[in-house]
Structures are given as structure tokens and as C-alpha cells.
């Protein structure tokens, strides 16, 4: 019901997760990120706390594989879970339990890791990491290219309805946190449109947070 990719940008050090699902509001449950530490996606029969636990382990100095294994060790139902983890150095780990739904797969490459379940084709997940590796530009653009590659390679067995894109950088909060919680059209294309609208404004929002004296106008009545 879900496919996702977690990745690191070598140039900026940013970490990000992109995810899509046939279920509603996938962005509320699956992507977890901690600036300067790592990113994770917990999916399938989702236990959101697995992502939080993996990040806590990374923050304590665990490797990506150690963080993943320690998080799963506390879950009596790990056979039903999928979990991917990447740390701030780009080291990755992936797990897909024996009872993961439908056709499922994980894929790991340098600075990226992906997983999916209920897939129309297992090749969709390899397509994600390959597309990310070959893509250029901002981390968000590369993550969205990976998501589109998964869809082009077959995607899920059924239609997807929600998608999310979350990225952390040098701030204590996500610098990108965009979600399509439900659509009967393609949520990945909708997310791409949302990113294209947000990208030109992203730095303005960071400037407003860092130094309101230099904050550009919002361009709304009362703030001309």
C-alpha cells in the first residue's frame, strides 16, 4: 500500500523522505526526520514510533543498521513492518518483514534507500534508487524524480491517493513539509505541482524565521 525513499544530498547535507500510498494522509504516519541525524520511513502495517525510535538510536551514535535493528527489536510484530533508515553520513539500512503485504522489496544505493509493498512490479523500487542516483538538482527534485520513476515502473498494484515530501537541513524544523492527504488524481503529480509553487518561496520563509528585520513582504493586504 506504500512506497517511499529516504535520501541524503551530498552537496547540501540535507536529508529527505518522499512517500506515496493508497491510504489517506501517508505523510502523517510514515516519514520521520531529525536534522543533522537521519531520516526514516516506517510503513506497511505502520507503526509510526519505529521511525522515532530509529532516529533516537542514530542520535545516540548507532549506525543505520544498528538503529534499524534496535527499533525493530522492541516491536512484537516486526514481521508485519517495513522500515528504511539513512544517517547523516548517507549510510543506509532496510527491513521488510516476512508478513509484509503483497509483492514487496527494498533497494539500497549510495545516499538513498527505498522500500515498497503491494507493488505491481518489484522493479519499481530499484527504479526509485536508480532515478535518485541519476537525477540532478535540489534534493526535493531528485526525490520527486524517484517517486515518478516508481510510478512509471508500475507503482502499486492499485491506485495511490496520498503523498508527502519532507526535508531537513540546517534548521531545527523541516525546511520542506508538503503533503497531499487525499486525491483521486495522481498525488505524486499534485505533490510536484505543490513543490514547484513552494520552492520559490522557501528561502523567504527561512529568512523570516532567521531574521525578521530582513523578512520580505508576504504580499497580502496589511503587509504591503
Amino acid at each position: 500500500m506504500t512506497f517511499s525513499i529516504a535520501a541524503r544530498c551530498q552537496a547540501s547535507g540535507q536529508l529527505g523522505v518522499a512517500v506515496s500510498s493508497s491510504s489517506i494522509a501517508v505523510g502523517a504516519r510514515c516519514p520521520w526526520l531529525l536534522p543533522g541525524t537521519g531520516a526514516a520511513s516506517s510503513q506497511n502495517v505502520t507503526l509510526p514510533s519505529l521511525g522515532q525510535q530509529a532516529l533516537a538510536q542514530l542520535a545516540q551514535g548507532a549506525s543505520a543498521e544498528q538503529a534499524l535493528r534496535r527499533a525493530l527489536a522492541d516491536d512484537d510484530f516486526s514481521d508485519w513492518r517495513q522500515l528504511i533508515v539513512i544517517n547523516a553520513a548517507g549510510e543506509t539500512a532496510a527491513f521488510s518483514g516476512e508478513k509484509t503485504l503483497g509483492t514487496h522489496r527494498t533497494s539500497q544505493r549510495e545516499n538513498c534507500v527505498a522500500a515498497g509493498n503491494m507493488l505491481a512490479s518489484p522493479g519499481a523500487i530499484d527504479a526509485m534508487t536508480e532515478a535518485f542516483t541519476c537525477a540532478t538538482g535540489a534534493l526535493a527534485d531528485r526525490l520527486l524524480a524517484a517517486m515518478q520513476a516508481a510510478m512509471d515502473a508500475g507503482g502499486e498494484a492499485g491506485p495511490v491517493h496520498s503523498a508527502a515530501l519532507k526535508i531537513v537541513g540546517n534548521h531545527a524544523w523541516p525546511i520542506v513539509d508538503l503533503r497531499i492527504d487525499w486525491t483521486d488524481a495522481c498525488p505524486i503529480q499534485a505533490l510536484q505541482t505543490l513543490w514547484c509553487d513552494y520552492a520559490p518561496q522557501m528561502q523567504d520563509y527561512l529568512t523570516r524565521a532567521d531574521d525578521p528585520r530582513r523578512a520580505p513582504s508576504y504580499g497580502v493586504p496589511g503587509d504591503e
Side-chain angles (χ1 to χ4, degrees):
M1 298 189 297
T2 305
F3 55 94
S4 67
I5 181 168
R8 171 183 176 268
C9 175
Q10 287 179 285
S12 66
Q14 293 174 356
L15 296 157
V17 175
V19 57
S20 186
S21 178
S22 58
S23 300
I24 194 170
V26 67
R29 296 181 301 277
C30 295
W32 301 94
L33 302 93
L34 187 62
T37 301
S41 184
S42 169
Q43 59 196 51
N44 192 50
V45 183
T46 312
L47 176 60
S49 62
L50 288 178
Q52 297 172 312
Q53 291 167 4
L55 293 179
Q57 289 292 328
L58 290 178
Q60 293 173 21
S63 68
E65 187 66 32
Q66 288 170 335
L68 181 145
R69 295 297 169 184
R70 290 172 185 174
L72 291 167
D74 292 331
D75 179 19
D76 292 336
F77 304 103
S78 60
D79 282 348
W80 280 262
R81 317 297 189 191
Q82 278 190 315
L83 180 63
I84 56 175
V85 176
I86 187 168
N87 67 13
E91 178 187 30
T92 64
F95 174 81
S96 190
E98 292 181 0
K99 295 186 179 180
T100 299
L101 295 171
T103 299
H104 56 94
R105 185 173 176 82
T106 65
S107 178
Q108 295 172 254
R109 295 196 182 208
E110 185 177 6
N111 290 303
C112 65
V113 56
N117 57 78
M118 298 287 284
L119 298 168
S121 167
I125 303 306
D126 287 329
M128 294 179 77
T129 54
E130 180 178 2
F132 178 84
T133 300
C134 294
T136 59
L139 179 58
D141 294 316
R142 297 174 69 192
L143 288 169
L144 289 168
M147 298 299 286
Q148 187 58 54
M151 291 295 290
D152 293 344
E156 287 195 30
V160 290
H161 293 291
S162 67
L165 174 66
K166 199 165 186 176
I167 293 173
V168 293
N170 296 324
H171 293 77
W173 62 90
I175 61 173
V176 179
D177 193 355
L178 305 178
R179 286 169 41 177
I180 305 298
D181 282 343
W182 183 268
T183 179
D184 288 324
C186 178
I188 295 171
Q189 292 179 1
L191 189 63
Q192 175 71 63
T193 299
L194 187 58
W195 164 244
C196 288
D197 290 338
Y198 182 70
Q201 305 180 59
M202 182 175 70
Q203 185 57 53
D204 289 347
Y205 284 103
L206 295 177
T207 300
R208 292 180 183 111
D210 292 338
D211 187 352
R213 297 169 301 177
R214 299 189 298 113
S217 169
Y218 284 96
V220 296
D223 187 36
E224 291 85 354

